[in-house]
Amino acid sequence: MGNIKLDLSRVYGVVDKSKVEALKGEAEAAIKTLHAGNGAGNDFLGWLNLPSSITDAQFAEIEAAAKDMRSRVDYVVVAGIGGSYLGARAVIEGLSDTFDYLRKDRKNPIIIYAGHNIGEDYLAELLDLLKDKKFGVVVISKSGTTTETAIAFRLLKELVEKTAGKEEAKHRIIAVTDKAKGALKTLATNEGYKTFVIPDNVGGRFSVLTPVGLVPIAIAGYDIRALVKGAADMEKETALDVPFEKNLSMQYAATRNALYRNGKAIEILVNYQPKLHYFTEWWKQLYGESEGKDGKGIFPAGVDFSTDLHSMGQWIQEGERIISETVVSVENPAKKQVIPSDADNLDALNFLAGKRVDQVNKMAELGTLIAHTDGGVPNIHVSVPQLDEYNLGQLIYFFEKACGISGYMLGVNPFNQPGVEAYKKNMFALLEKPGYEEATKAIKERLK
Ligand code: PA5
């Protein structure tokens, strides 16, 4: 069964335990609504039982496509944005050797990300890098019309066809999109690309365990079955019939809502492992897009410690007391590195000689935790034994389930994102997109 441990003891010094326990009834009502499928956004609950429902045939199809892509190329560009990109990047960077892309003896293709910005330099530099490389593209877009991704894909498609030839390009492009509608689906069908479907009832930020995440993760060389197994075990551990006291997702959801109601409007997700940087980015989207609406919601932010203790540490320790922190802690690093002794000892660090780097990191973690709780920053502590596919699967489902519960406790629809459209509408009006004539007129008037 599961590996995640949740320690809430350092919350209670700042916010009384009774305030968390008082939300038990609300958490129970929220999880019931989620499982009954009768709450807001209930047409987007496909993620709820997703891990336990992925079939052997589905795994095998993804693995076969990944094997084929790996046999053809040295570089794979994953083109997507938001929920169509962050989950894959979180898992791949969480599992990868940080410097693999610089190693000549690497076994895996180099994964590059695009379609998540509109940086002209970024795209021009990417195309320049790839112009003499063997590369493939996984283009991921549920709507198939997202501007950032579509622009990047237009450029990458042209380059792969030019450098590899139209026929080979068909094998070097995989599309992950809606089963029937959207421009990308039409294009993929016309061109004969291998296509994977994003289920209708799974929204972008909950889609990492669909082909959206699984295809890039398998291409990168990681075990998607172990990832999903971790999530499936967490699905059982956080099921409707698991009582509040033992249900990790209910506990986390109730605690963060208690903190919010007691003035903690910002939650920072903290890691002490640089490999988790994109896990934090994934988490920020999950909670930000799910909860930030109707004038409500905890602002989800992220920091990498100890790096950011030297930049954001001051604010967290002594700034406005509206912050809580959730630490994702990895008990055991995968590699071993011992600190050497030095004959001169000019840096006075010989007292650490013979200790592992991680021992210092753990004391930085504990020291920070004590300092922050002393400073009025409540601490939720989530730990996993190590960073591997199984444990990342556990973390993903744990946070997804808690997000659904927490969103209902907050009283919002956690499965829509109407606010994301506002910038798109203005951008299209400013770019004079056909069909936006009225909006263009209006926005030009405003800018006079
Ligand atoms: O969570 C979401 O729904 C969004 O982040 C989308 O995933 C993102 O906007 C990309 O959309 P699409 O997959 O349609 O290109």
Side-chain angles (χ1 to χ4, degrees), residues 81-84 140-144 146 149 203-205 285 289 417 424:
I81 193 168
S84 289
I140 307 169
S141 178
K142 190 170 185 186
S143 63
T146 301
T149 304
R205 58 191 173 275
Q285 184 199 358
E289 238 175 36
Q417 56 284 327
K424 293 185 192 170

Short mmCIF file of all heavy atoms in Angstrom, two decimals, residues 81-84 140-144 146 149 203-205 285 289 417 424, ligand 1:
data_model
loop_
_atom_site.label_atom_id
_atom_site.label_comp_id
_atom_site.label_asym_id
_atom_site.label_seq_id
_atom_site.Cartn_x
_atom_site.Cartn_y
_atom_site.Cartn_z
N ILE A 81 0.87 23.11 -23.11
CA ILE A 81 0.90 24.18 -22.09
C ILE A 81 -0.05 23.83 -20.96
O ILE A 81 -1.01 23.07 -21.16
CB ILE A 81 0.54 25.55 -22.73
CG1 ILE A 81 0.88 26.72 -21.81
CG2 ILE A 81 -0.91 25.61 -23.15
CD1 ILE A 81 0.82 28.10 -22.50
N GLY A 82 0.21 24.37 -19.78
CA GLY A 82 -0.68 24.14 -18.63
C GLY A 82 -0.81 22.66 -18.34
O GLY A 82 0.18 21.93 -18.26
N GLY A 83 -2.04 22.22 -18.24
CA GLY A 83 -2.30 20.82 -17.94
C GLY A 83 -1.84 19.87 -19.03
O GLY A 83 -1.70 18.67 -18.80
N SER A 84 -1.58 20.40 -20.20
CA SER A 84 -1.10 19.55 -21.30
C SER A 84 0.43 19.51 -21.35
O SER A 84 0.99 19.15 -22.38
CB SER A 84 -1.67 20.06 -22.63
OG SER A 84 -3.05 19.77 -22.68
N ILE A 140 0.51 18.06 -27.69
CA ILE A 140 -0.56 17.72 -26.75
C ILE A 140 -1.48 18.93 -26.59
O ILE A 140 -1.06 19.99 -26.12
CB ILE A 140 0.03 17.35 -25.37
CG1 ILE A 140 1.10 16.26 -25.52
CG2 ILE A 140 -1.08 16.90 -24.42
CD1 ILE A 140 1.92 16.01 -24.27
N SER A 141 -2.72 18.76 -26.99
CA SER A 141 -3.68 19.84 -26.80
C SER A 141 -5.09 19.27 -26.90
O SER A 141 -5.46 18.68 -27.91
CB SER A 141 -3.49 20.93 -27.87
OG SER A 141 -4.47 21.94 -27.70
N LYS A 142 -5.82 19.41 -25.81
CA LYS A 142 -7.18 18.86 -25.82
C LYS A 142 -8.05 19.64 -26.79
O LYS A 142 -8.74 19.05 -27.62
CB LYS A 142 -7.76 18.92 -24.41
CG LYS A 142 -9.05 18.16 -24.28
CD LYS A 142 -9.47 18.03 -22.84
CE LYS A 142 -10.70 17.13 -22.76
NZ LYS A 142 -11.26 17.06 -21.42
N SER A 143 -8.00 20.95 -26.70
CA SER A 143 -8.82 21.76 -27.59
C SER A 143 -8.25 21.73 -29.01
O SER A 143 -8.97 21.86 -29.99
CB SER A 143 -8.85 23.20 -27.10
OG SER A 143 -7.53 23.74 -27.13
N GLY A 144 -6.95 21.58 -29.10
CA GLY A 144 -6.29 21.60 -30.41
C GLY A 144 -6.14 22.99 -30.98
O GLY A 144 -5.68 23.17 -32.11
N THR A 146 -5.03 25.79 -28.87
CA THR A 146 -4.30 26.69 -27.95
C THR A 146 -3.15 27.38 -28.69
O THR A 146 -2.30 26.72 -29.30
CB THR A 146 -3.79 25.88 -26.74
OG1 THR A 146 -4.93 25.30 -26.10
CG2 THR A 146 -3.04 26.74 -25.77
N THR A 149 0.73 26.51 -28.12
CA THR A 149 1.08 25.17 -28.61
C THR A 149 0.98 25.10 -30.12
O THR A 149 1.84 24.51 -30.79
CB THR A 149 0.14 24.13 -27.94
OG1 THR A 149 0.25 24.28 -26.52
CG2 THR A 149 0.52 22.72 -28.32
N GLY A 203 -10.14 17.02 -17.13
CA GLY A 203 -9.63 18.36 -17.46
C GLY A 203 -8.10 18.36 -17.50
O GLY A 203 -7.45 17.46 -16.94
N GLY A 204 -7.54 19.38 -18.13
CA GLY A 204 -6.09 19.43 -18.35
C GLY A 204 -5.26 19.20 -17.11
O GLY A 204 -4.36 18.36 -17.09
N ARG A 205 -5.56 19.93 -16.03
CA ARG A 205 -4.68 19.85 -14.85
C ARG A 205 -4.83 18.53 -14.09
O ARG A 205 -4.04 18.26 -13.18
CB ARG A 205 -4.92 21.05 -13.94
CG ARG A 205 -6.34 21.20 -13.44
CD ARG A 205 -6.54 22.56 -12.78
NE ARG A 205 -7.93 22.81 -12.44
CZ ARG A 205 -8.83 23.31 -13.27
NH1 ARG A 205 -8.51 23.56 -14.52
NH2 ARG A 205 -10.08 23.53 -12.86
N GLN A 285 -0.47 24.88 -10.60
CA GLN A 285 -1.58 24.94 -11.56
C GLN A 285 -2.80 24.21 -11.02
O GLN A 285 -3.93 24.70 -11.11
CB GLN A 285 -1.21 24.34 -12.92
CG GLN A 285 -2.37 24.54 -13.89
CD GLN A 285 -2.38 23.66 -15.11
OE1 GLN A 285 -1.46 22.86 -15.31
NE2 GLN A 285 -3.39 23.80 -15.93
N GLU A 289 -5.69 26.92 -10.53
CA GLU A 289 -6.79 26.93 -11.50
C GLU A 289 -8.06 26.34 -10.92
O GLU A 289 -9.17 26.68 -11.34
CB GLU A 289 -6.38 26.13 -12.75
CG GLU A 289 -6.43 26.96 -14.01
CD GLU A 289 -5.92 26.24 -15.25
OE1 GLU A 289 -6.13 25.02 -15.39
OE2 GLU A 289 -5.32 26.90 -16.09
N GLN A 417 -12.28 26.66 -15.47
CA GLN A 417 -11.25 27.71 -15.42
C GLN A 417 -11.68 28.88 -16.30
O GLN A 417 -10.97 29.26 -17.23
CB GLN A 417 -9.87 27.18 -15.81
CG GLN A 417 -9.72 26.49 -17.17
CD GLN A 417 -10.30 25.09 -17.18
OE1 GLN A 417 -10.26 24.38 -16.18
NE2 GLN A 417 -10.86 24.70 -18.30
N LYS A 424 -7.10 35.63 -23.40
CA LYS A 424 -7.17 35.13 -24.79
C LYS A 424 -8.06 36.03 -25.62
O LYS A 424 -7.74 36.38 -26.76
CB LYS A 424 -7.74 33.70 -24.81
CG LYS A 424 -6.85 32.66 -24.18
CD LYS A 424 -7.45 31.27 -24.36
CE LYS A 424 -6.76 30.26 -23.50
NZ LYS A 424 -7.44 28.97 -23.47
O1 PA5 B 1 -5.99 22.74 -17.02
C1 PA5 B 1 -6.37 23.19 -18.08
O2 PA5 B 1 -7.48 22.95 -18.52
C2 PA5 B 1 -5.47 24.09 -18.90
O3 PA5 B 1 -4.26 24.31 -18.27
C3 PA5 B 1 -5.18 23.46 -20.25
O4 PA5 B 1 -4.60 22.21 -20.05
C4 PA5 B 1 -4.27 24.34 -21.09
O5 PA5 B 1 -4.85 25.59 -21.26
C5 PA5 B 1 -4.01 23.70 -22.44
O6 PA5 B 1 -5.19 23.47 -23.12
P1 PA5 B 1 -5.25 22.51 -24.36
O7 PA5 B 1 -4.90 21.14 -23.91
O8 PA5 B 1 -6.65 22.60 -24.87
O9 PA5 B 1 -4.25 23.02 -25.36
#
